[in-house]
Amino acid sequence: MAIMPNTPNAVAEPMMIAVLGAAGRMGSTVCDAIESAGDLVLGPRLDVGDDVATLADSGAAVAVDFTVPSATEANVHALIDAGLHAVVGTTGWTEESLGRVRTHLADDGRGLGVLIAPNFALSAVLAMRFAAQAARYFESAEVIELHHPNKVDAPSGTAVHTARAIAAVRAQAGLAAGPDATETTLDGARGAVVDGVHVHAVRLRGLVAHEEVLFGNPGEQLTIRTDSFERSSFMPGVLLAVRAVAEHPGLTVGLDGYLDLG
Ligand SMILES: NC(=O)C1=CN([C@@H]2O[C@H](COP(=O)(O)OP(=O)(O)OC[C@H]3O[C@@H](n4cnc5c(N)ncnc54)[C@H](O)[C@@H]3O)[C@@H](O)[C@H]2O)C=CC1
Ligand SMILES: O=C(O)C1=N[C@H](C(=O)O)C[C@H](O)C1
């Protein structure tokens, strides 16, 4: 008897996933996670110099990109052209580059999904959400991100995303700029400023990925902290995204877009 698709007895084909940046710290961890997942099969592993267009005929339905900020946008456009859904963890995205991906997806018209998420760790996703919830209630807000010293960019994508969200909530609530009478004697002493929110970057041997969001009022402080001690912390989020991206046509920014966080 033939087993028809979508019947209780049907055996689903494992979905094939390509990985870009497969030789890197995150890419290699993603390859291992896909190989350990029963419902997924690891497809082509691409790294620097490989042609994304070859994925069109590879059988891969989804590609995961953990490459470098200077390459990721071109990779995503090439993935859309090749007809693959994309799950992207690489940092460096701006409103302009996100807008170009949105336009490309709309022009393409095939209903492809792209998720670009600054952080796939649940603790970080929740920290960003809690920071946005707290932002309207405090005079002062600053972000400190702490990472391994091999990280190529600063400030982290997570810190930029956190700061932008805090700034948007503060603006909506009509809050003035945070109080700060400092006259700096050295450039950079107060960190970078993202939409008016100060962001500080620490690089320290032994760290993986960490962030503190500090909120201050007269006589009180709220600290929200997230720690990724191992890259395994990002894998449940990456696998969730890989499985869900085809159900979310268009561009989604942030894993919270795929979660029911209320
Ligand atoms: N969203 C998230 O949860 C996380 C995001 N990241 C981000 O992921 C990115 C990668 O981080 P790591 O794996 O630590 O870096 P890495 O330097 O270990 O790996 C990057 C890899 O990309 C490759 N690569 C460079 N250009 C490429 C291209 N054009 N096509 C294909 N491969 C290319 C490199 O050869 C390297 O193997 C960074 O932007 C980092 O901030 C890192 C951890 C978690
Ligand atoms: O490079 C890293 O390691 C990380 N990059 C992402 C970022 O820049 O926010 C996510 C996480 O912080 C780890």
Side-chain angles (χ1 to χ4, degrees):
M1 187 182 74
I3 297 175
M4 301 300 290
N6 302 322
T7 64
N9 288 331
V11 179
E13 280 284 308
M15 182 164 54
M16 185 187 284
I17 315 298
V19 177
L20 279 60
R25 285 177 288 267
M26 281 298 291
S28 56
T29 312
V30 169
C31 289
D32 293 345
I34 291 168
E35 284 187 311
S36 303
D39 58 332
L40 305 173
V41 60
L42 181 61
R45 309 166 182 219
L46 272 51
D47 207 272
V48 69
D50 294 330
D51 184 1
V52 177
T54 59
L55 294 179
D57 302 320
S58 67
V62 175
V64 178
D65 181 300
F66 280 99
T67 58
V68 287
S70 57
T72 187
E73 185 189 352
N75 286 343
V76 171
H77 290 295
L79 288 169
I80 296 170
D81 287 336
L84 275 77
H85 306 282
V87 170
V88 180
T90 313
T91 49
W93 290 87
T94 63
E95 284 308 320
E96 292 71 29
S97 55
L98 293 172
R100 288 190 287 271
V101 170
R102 247 181 229 110
T103 303
H104 192 170
L105 285 166
D107 291 347
D108 174 76
R110 283 180 284 182
L112 292 170
V114 174
L115 172 69
I116 299 176
N119 204 308
F120 283 96
L122 181 61
S123 63
V125 173
L126 289 173
M128 287 187 271
R129 173 59 66 101
F130 297 155
Q133 285 174 337
R136 69 178 61 242
Y137 301 111
F138 291 88
E139 270 185 55
S140 302
E142 304 217 0
V143 179
I144 307 171
E145 56 95 331
L146 311 91
H147 280 83
H148 60 94
N150 303 106
K151 181 166 175 54
V152 290
D153 58 331
S156 72
T158 309
V160 172
H161 196 79
T162 308
R164 282 188 187 142
I166 291 170
V169 172
R170 286 177 68 92
Q172 206 176 24
L175 295 188
D180 183 4
T182 314
E183 283 181 29
T184 49
T185 50
L186 276 179
D187 281 351
R190 294 281 292 113
V193 183
V194 178
D195 293 353
V197 176
H198 288 259
V199 177
H200 311 269
V202 175
R203 296 291 174 266
L204 207 67
R205 186 64 72 200
L207 295 181
V208 176
H210 316 259
E211 180 174 295
E212 277 190 7
V213 190
L214 309 181
F215 291 105
N217 269 339
E220 65 171 344
Q221 178 177 318
L222 170 67
T223 304
I224 299 171
R225 180 168 175 122
T226 167
D227 295 279
S228 277
F229 301 111
E230 297 177 354
R231 288 185 179 80
S232 58
S233 62
F234 304 113
M235 294 306 116
V238 172
L239 294 185
L240 182 153
V242 158
R243 292 179 179 119
V245 63
E247 292 154 26
H248 293 83
L251 175 64
T252 304
V253 179
L255 184 63
D256 52 328
Y258 285 13
L259 303 174
D260 184 13
L261 295 183

